[in-house]
Amino acid sequence: MYNNALNLLSILILISSFVLIANKRQNSYISTFRFQSLLLASISLLVSIRGMLVHKKFDEVFIIFLLIVLFKVILIPMVLKRTSQKVEYTVEKDFFINIPISMLICGGLVVLSWYVIYSIEGITNLDTKNYLIYSMSVVMIGLFFMISRKKAIGQIVGFLVIENGMFLAAMLTTEGMPMFVEFGLFFDLLTAFLIMGIFVFKINDTFESIDINKLKNLKG
Amino acid sequence: MITSILKLIVQIIIILLIAPIFTGVIKVLKAKAQHKIGPSIFQPYYNLIKLFKKDLVVSNTSSWIYNVAPYIYFVTSLTALLCLPLVNQLVGFTFYTDLLIIVYLFVAGRVFMALAGLDTGSAFGGMGSSREMLVSALAEPALFIIIITVSARTDIASTNVSSIYNYMVNHTELAFTPINLLLFVSMLMVLIAESSRIPVDDPSTHLELTMVHEAMVLEYSGRHLAFIELGTHIKQLVFMTFMANILIPVGFNVANIFLGFGIYLLKIFVITILVALVELNTVKLRLYSIPNFAAIAFIVSVLGFLTSFILK
């Protein structure tokens, strides 16, 4: 039952990253990212509740759950939305490769990670294999999202999705890493996010657009 | 023999009675969500009765295809639904059929509708036919992969409905596996595309930019139109029955026929609510965005196919 629920949630995360690839507009990236983080939060809630029931003591993963809800579900999407409202954009088409082909490429990425994980010897648990495939595909799709979008905000969302995928792998294969590692990850994420957010404004100031294609232009 | 024919007749009557109500339910749910009063749930029945009473208007330039197409469309949809098990006891002629037949029955009906749309020579009909063929051609790969995945999971890996049915009756715990979830999502998108629901086609307007299915049947009136509408309601129910009985086989093995029928109606109702939610939260896509929609459905079904190798 528990494994089934985790399986369902992890596959929903995979589907949500496919939805992210199919999105066209910046606001829908952000809400899809929020949905994905909500799914990640529910996975950590499940893991923590099970840990509490099995070991009969307070599980640290619960704090991770609260942190995910606070940062990834509420704070970061809110700030991103505010940023995208402040930064004007005029280019309608935001991607280099059109959507059906990028969907096919992402399907290929899932097959690739399936192949890679299957050729690793030593993973005996079928469910672990499955979780690893999903989380690795989410990481790959996040990378692909980063290289296929023109706008700086799309790239921030791609970075956050990569982070989500790594978190998913850590959560599902180890049932919660040590607290310090998790805090370090969160701190890293927040710093990177803040720097990127400032950079978006800087790019917008200098080039009057956040289209990163224009970064090639020389500016005196 | 006699009992199976009797069962078939009972099943046809049940299908004809319940098929239009789900379209009505979707309309009511949408109206309630927008704080409108909305029509009654039985509005599709009133429409059908009104259309059956009206006279036919047939163009002088049309050929026999125009007259025969609505009946072929209706009969192929009904036969497709009879290929799927409705309730444990009422299995129609599922013991002789194959899942792929459902796809080809739809193709047969659709070909005749497209020909009939071209037949009268009006500009709208031809446009609607070409659009409808585009949408169906895009939705078909996903449907095929769903069917193949479902059949590959049975013990003898056959697309025969009876073997799938026997497997599902004994394995109700399969309902909540990731494979079924992926197939369910993909099938929901195929359902939306094939039964002309909102992200793909807007069934309630007659605007030339957005019409797909409506443009094709624009010339029809009276009894012919009633048969086409009934066929569309039944076609929608085919996909919903596939989702309810083959992808979520919970409560399918109940021995009591009335209880089983109640569970079936409940599952179909949940799927109806999902479709209504999708309609509420999306807008009509441009015609050139429909390939993106179909690509998502296809990729999700391919993922389900792959996952069926990992999780046996």
Side-chain angles (χ1 to χ4, degrees), chain B residues 265-291:
Chain B
L265 281 185
L266 191 71
K267 285 190 286 188
I268 298 273
F269 187 67
V270 170
I271 295 167
T272 313
I273 292 174
L274 277 179
V275 174
L277 276 178
V278 171
E279 287 212 358
L280 276 170
N281 287 317
T282 50
V283 289
K284 167 86 178 63
L285 291 173
R286 286 189 316 143
L287 192 68
Y288 295 113
S289 297
I290 292 174

Side-chain angles (χ1 to χ4, degrees), chain B residues 191-213:
Chain B
L191 159 72
I192 285 166
E194 291 266 354
S195 63
S196 39
R197 289 268 145 220
I198 254 183
V200 176
D201 180 9
D202 195 347
S204 59
T205 60
H206 281 93
L207 185 70
E208 62 265 35
L209 279 172
T210 62
M211 286 192 292
V212 178
H213 184 76

Side-chain angles (χ1 to χ4, degrees), chain A:
Chain A
M1 190 65 212
Y2 168 73
N3 274 339
N4 242 344
L6 283 191
N7 254 325
L8 278 184
L9 284 170
S10 52
I11 208 144
L12 274 175
I13 286 184
L14 187 61
I15 292 178
S16 71
S17 53
F18 270 98
V19 171
L20 190 77
I21 287 288
N23 277 339
K24 279 184 186 166
R25 297 185 194 262
Q26 291 182 352
N27 280 339
S28 44
Y29 304 160
I30 297 165
S31 35
T32 315
F33 168 71
R34 178 180 280 164
F35 177 66
Q36 196 179 49
S37 314
L38 203 65
L39 291 171
L40 193 68
S42 51
I43 282 184
S44 60
L45 183 65
L46 262 181
V47 170
S48 73
I49 284 177
R50 183 167 186 256
M52 282 191 225
L53 287 181
V54 171
H55 302 300
K56 301 251 186 314
K57 64 174 175 103
F58 183 72
D59 199 341
E60 290 169 341
V61 183
F62 193 73
I63 300 171
I64 301 297
F65 161 70
L66 292 179
L67 281 177
I68 292 177
V69 169
L70 181 65
F71 286 113
K72 287 192 172 170
V73 181
I74 299 169
L75 212 65
I76 292 180
M78 211 170 71
V79 177
L80 266 181
K81 249 188 191 149
R82 200 168 294 162
T83 316
S84 77
Q85 274 166 7
K86 270 187 197 164
V87 178
E88 281 186 38
Y89 61 95
T90 46
V91 185
E92 271 290 305
K93 213 175 152 211
D94 184 24
F95 34 88
F96 291 115
I97 307 167
N98 68 0
I99 289 175
I101 292 177
S102 41
M103 299 296 292
L104 289 177
I105 290 174
C106 288
L109 288 177
V110 177
V111 176
L112 181 75
S113 50
W114 188 67
Y115 185 75
V116 169
I117 301 285
Y118 249 71
S119 51
I120 297 175
E121 287 172 7
I123 308 175
T124 47
N125 193 349
L126 261 183
D127 281 321
T128 311
K129 239 176 203 174
N130 207 13
Y131 299 147
L132 271 178
I133 290 167
Y134 295 147
S135 42
M136 194 162 149
S137 323
V138 173
V139 172
M140 302 281 258
I141 290 172
L143 273 169
F144 179 74
F145 190 80
M146 269 181 101
I147 61 168
S148 70
R149 304 287 147 153
K150 283 180 197 164
K151 300 289 171 48
I153 289 184
Q155 295 180 343
I156 296 178
V157 173
F159 174 76
L160 294 170
V161 168
I162 294 175
E163 223 278 331
N164 267 359
M166 296 204 282
F167 228 90
L168 183 68
M171 189 70 70
L172 289 176
T173 49
T174 63
E175 309 221 324
M177 289 176 292
M179 202 62 202
F180 274 106
V181 183
E182 304 264 16
F183 272 135
L185 268 176
F186 256 108
F187 204 66
D188 241 22
L189 173 76
L190 276 180
T191 327
F193 175 72
L194 276 178
I195 293 171
M196 280 177 172
I198 293 164
F199 262 115
V200 168
F201 285 119
K202 275 284 172 202
I203 294 171
N204 189 40
D205 275 351
T206 321
F207 293 95
E208 284 151 3
S209 157
I210 51 167
D211 191 344
I212 51 140
N213 244 358
K214 295 194 175 165
L215 292 185
K216 290 181 208 154
N217 299 349
L218 286 176
K219 205 92 197 228

Side-chain angles (χ1 to χ4, degrees), chain B residues 27-244:
Chain B
K27 270 188 187 150
V28 170
L29 284 175
K30 276 177 71 179
K32 290 279 179 258
Q34 293 164 348
H35 296 287
K36 292 174 185 164
I37 296 170
S40 140
I41 319 176
F42 301 106
Q43 190 62 41
Y45 294 96
Y46 303 149
N47 286 352
L48 286 175
I49 292 167
K50 184 189 76 183
L51 286 173
F52 271 119
K53 281 182 191 163
K54 291 208 168 185
D55 277 346
L56 286 176
V57 180
V58 179
S59 160
N60 284 333
T61 57
S62 64
S63 66
W64 59 275
I65 288 178
Y66 182 83
N67 289 320
V68 104
Y71 303 106
I72 291 180
Y73 184 68
F74 170 70
V75 169
T76 48
S77 304
L78 189 61
T79 318
L81 189 45
L82 290 178
C83 291
L84 287 171
L86 213 61
V87 188
N88 199 359
Q89 309 286 320
L90 278 181
V91 286
F93 42 74
T94 52
F95 281 88
Y96 316 108
T97 55
D98 201 273
L99 269 185
L100 294 175
I101 284 181
I102 295 173
V103 182
Y104 289 117
L105 280 170
F106 283 148
V107 171
R110 201 181 293 123
V111 163
F112 269 89
M113 285 311 297
L115 285 179
L118 292 165
D119 194 31
T120 51
S122 84
F124 276 143
M127 188 189 73
S129 299
S130 86
R131 287 182 179 180
E132 174 92 0
M133 294 315 268
L134 172 75
V135 170
S136 64
L138 289 171
E140 216 140 79
L143 188 57
F144 263 108
I145 290 182
I146 292 166
I147 287 174
I148 286 169
T149 315
V150 164
S151 70
R153 298 177 68 194
T154 57
D155 296 327
I156 52 169
S158 108
T159 48
N160 190 337
V161 180
S162 75
S163 62
I164 291 172
Y165 166 79
N166 287 333
Y167 186 75
M168 287 302 164
V169 167
N170 299 325
H171 293 81
T172 47
E173 77 280 357
L174 286 175
F176 298 108
T177 51
I179 310 168
N180 276 24
L181 182 76
L182 283 167
L183 296 184
F184 188 85
V185 171
S186 177
M187 196 66 184
L188 189 69
M189 297 174 85
V190 173
L191 159 72
I192 285 166
E194 291 266 354
S195 63
S196 39
R197 289 268 145 220
I198 254 183
V200 176
D201 180 9
D202 195 347
S204 59
T205 60
H206 281 93
L207 185 70
E208 62 265 35
L209 279 172
T210 62
M211 286 192 292
V212 178
H213 184 76
E214 293 298 314
M216 194 170 62
V217 301
L218 201 61
E219 302 276 325
Y220 279 105
S221 57
R223 198 169 65 235
H224 285 162
L225 188 56
F227 272 114
I228 291 170
E229 287 205 349
L230 200 53
T232 312
H233 296 319
I234 291 172
K235 199 170 161 187
Q236 182 178 318
L237 194 61
V238 175
F239 289 106
M240 286 181 173
T241 309
F242 191 95
M243 288 158 85

